[in-house]
Amino acid sequence: INNGSLINTATLEKGDYTKDSTKTATFDKKPISVDKTGTPDYQTSGGTHNNQIQWQIKITSEYGTTLNECVIEDSKLPDSGWTISPEGATITKEGDKWTLSNVPDGTKDVTITYSAPATAGSNSNTVNVTPPGGGTPVEKEGKVEYKQEEDLITPTKSGKYDADTHTITWTVE
């Protein structure tokens, strides 16, 4: 058992004497884990500086738990433009929540990737994922430092003095 309670009762009988003993073991393991990461657009493959962050939500099945019917809450997850793996898995929006479905049996991880607007400086984004059948949501916050273009350029200047000609040759890198 991965989550919930297990009750075991043993009975001892000897003649007319009967003695029962009951023990309960409670397991409080989370059936899923969640990770939330972000990458500034200028750090992605072929990236340009467009004030966007590529966010990634990774939901992992612990103990063989199905990922179908996980409920996802993420205020920045757009209505379209996201990708999901594995192939065939889908998310459906109902109000401000998304439900995961069509995840193939035995799948360990589902990853949802999308872009959202960024502001200069610190950007954070929180996702809450409720396991199938309810239970306590798993919360994960992702943080990304987004730099403006001018902050990405750090020129280095050096000079070499030629005593014979009294000239300085400057190099800017």
Side-chain angles (χ1 to χ4, degrees):
I1 185 167
N2 296 320
N3 205 14
S5 296
L6 178 66
I7 300 172
N8 183 296
T9 301
T11 303
L12 174 65
E13 294 180 6
K14 184 174 183 181
D16 291 339
Y17 180 77
T18 302
K19 178 72 176 177
D20 289 331
S21 177
T22 302
K23 295 291 179 182
T24 302
T26 302
F27 301 90
D28 189 22
K29 295 180 180 178
K30 295 197 183 299
I32 60 170
S33 61
V34 179
D35 195 26
K36 179 74 179 248
T37 57
T39 305
D41 53 6
Y42 52 82
Q43 290 181 346
T44 61
S45 177
T48 58
H49 197 278
N50 292 318
N51 296 318
Q52 293 284 307
I53 295 174
Q54 184 178 37
W55 292 104
Q56 190 172 72
I57 303 167
K58 182 177 181 183
I59 305 168
T60 301
S61 169
E62 304 294 344
Y63 323 110
T65 303
T66 182
L67 295 176
N68 285 305
E69 303 303 318
C70 281
V71 177
I72 303 161
E73 294 180 74
D74 182 332
S75 64
K76 295 187 180 181
L77 184 58
D79 289 343
S80 62
W82 43 263
T83 60
I84 188 169
S85 66
E87 188 175 325
T90 59
I91 52 175
T92 306
K93 188 172 185 180
E94 297 174 27
D96 59 352
K97 298 178 182 180
W98 297 81
T99 302
L100 189 56
S101 59
N102 298 319
V103 178
D105 290 341
T107 298
K108 176 108 175 123
D109 300 305
V110 170
T111 303
I112 302 166
T113 305
Y114 66 92
S115 289
T119 57
S122 182
N123 290 259
S124 64
N125 187 356
T126 301
V127 62
N128 287 293
V129 181
T130 303
T136 304
V138 178
E139 180 177 292
K140 185 67 176 188
E141 180 181 35
K143 292 185 177 185
V144 173
E145 186 70 25
Y146 195 90
K147 296 181 180 180
Q148 292 300 319
E149 275 186 287
E150 58 270 12
D151 296 330
L152 297 173
I153 301 170
T154 309
T156 303
K157 182 178 178 183
S158 61
K160 183 176 179 181
Y161 176 70
D162 185 334
D164 294 335
T165 61
H166 300 287
T167 59
I168 299 174
T169 303
W170 294 102
T171 303
V172 179
E173 298 178 301

